[in-house]
Amino acid sequence: GRRTDEVNALLEENFKAIDDIFNDLAAKTGLPLQQVSHAYHKARGCIHSGFNHWNTYGHYLKVNREQELQRLGNIEVADAAQITPAIRAECYKAFRAAFPDSWQEILETFEQVEVRSVGPQTVSQRTQEFSKVWRKV
């Protein structure tokens, strides 16, 4: 439901304290405030970028089919065979296990490279892509 004015005031007061802590950390570390915030949320497993890693992995799998299927070891998938959702899920699981600390970054970087290599974009598409990269910085 709706928050009361008292709850909103308490939140605002404490958000200011959090802002002060983050600003202090940024000053002490020399890191930009956004990077301090991102590091905090990443360390706590609270990053919700709206980025769909599963969908990006599907494209990554198409581009790196042989390499990704090799991660599964003894699975037999013919070159022309369609990768089923179950096989895709196993490949995704193996990919994440192979890169436990960096799998998300790998997929996000892959997506950025793929988007840039597509060719001409509208101004709106370029603006949207710039905004995605800017938020990461």
Side-chain angles (χ1 to χ4, degrees):
R2 274 184 79 104
R3 294 186 306 238
T4 64
D5 289 340
E6 293 81 20
V7 168
N8 286 335
L10 183 60
L11 286 171
E12 184 58 32
E13 177 185 330
N14 285 280
F15 288 162
K16 286 179 183 176
I18 293 168
D19 286 345
D20 291 343
I21 292 169
F22 275 59
N23 287 325
D24 186 49
L25 276 171
K28 287 179 179 176
T29 62
L31 297 173
L33 184 60
Q34 180 68 21
Q35 197 170 352
V36 170
S37 175
H38 182 75
Y40 172 80
H41 287 96
K42 187 174 181 180
R44 300 300 184 272
C46 299
I47 293 185
H48 300 286
S49 65
F51 188 89
N52 190 321
H53 295 95
W54 170 255
N55 287 345
T56 299
Y57 182 75
H59 186 67
Y60 183 88
L61 178 58
K62 286 180 188 175
V63 172
N64 300 290
R65 179 186 177 98
E66 187 176 326
Q67 167 191 306
E68 293 304 298
L69 290 173
Q70 286 177 357
R71 284 190 213 288
L72 299 183
N74 60 4
I75 189 166
E76 294 292 329
V77 179
D79 287 336
Q82 181 179 1
I83 294 179
T84 65
I87 292 172
R88 178 180 170 181
E90 286 300 313
C91 287
Y92 187 51
K93 183 178 177 181
F95 175 79
R96 291 180 301 168
F99 304 102
D101 298 326
S102 60
W103 67 271
Q104 292 171 320
E105 188 174 339
I106 291 168
L107 291 176
E108 290 167 13
T109 302
F110 172 80
E111 175 81 4
Q112 289 176 1
V113 169
E114 286 297 303
V115 166
R116 285 180 181 76
S117 65
V118 167
Q121 293 180 314
T122 66
V123 172
S124 176
Q125 288 170 322
R126 287 180 190 255
T127 302
Q128 189 175 29
E129 288 307 311
F130 175 80
S131 294
K132 284 182 186 176
V133 173
W134 181 81
R135 283 190 299 257
K136 286 184 79 173
V137 175

